[in-house]
Amino acid sequence: MSNRSSTNNADAEKMLLSGYAGLKQREAAISKSGKIRIPEALERLVKLYTDWHAAEPDKDYETKAAEWQTKLNEHGAASK
């Protein structure tokens, strides 16, 4: 993987983590229709780490993908 791709993934990671943290911080104030953004953010994090693992399998991004998938599953269960 090129340094540029790795840098792009690192930048995306920072933005996605920050966005998710902001959503969670304001979750109580988000309208019911806006709450769909929370699982969308989780899905994006899972995809980022899954794709990053495919490109750099020696960096253990698969573990991060699994951690975020667990959070996504827990969020789905809590939303029902």
Side-chain angles (χ1 to χ4, degrees):
M1 175 180 230
S2 72
N3 280 344
R4 184 177 205 179
S5 294
S6 185
T7 299
N8 288 343
N9 283 340
D11 289 343
E13 179 185 37
K14 287 177 191 171
M15 287 187 279
L16 290 170
L17 290 172
S18 175
Y20 175 74
L23 285 169
K24 288 301 288 180
Q25 185 178 44
R26 295 168 188 81
E27 186 172 12
I30 298 172
S31 69
K32 186 175 180 178
S33 63
K35 289 192 188 259
I36 187 69
R37 302 296 177 229
I38 296 170
E40 287 175 352
L42 290 165
E43 289 168 356
R44 288 184 181 109
L45 282 159
V46 171
K47 180 164 178 24
L48 170 71
Y49 289 122
T50 299
D51 292 349
W52 208 349
H53 174 71
E56 296 183 58
D58 58 323
K59 300 283 177 101
D60 200 32
Y61 292 111
E62 183 177 41
T63 300
K64 287 186 176 187
E67 290 170 2
W68 287 102
Q69 182 64 55
T70 298
K71 289 183 184 196
L72 177 59
N73 295 344
E74 290 170 352
H75 179 81
S79 297
K80 292 181 181 184

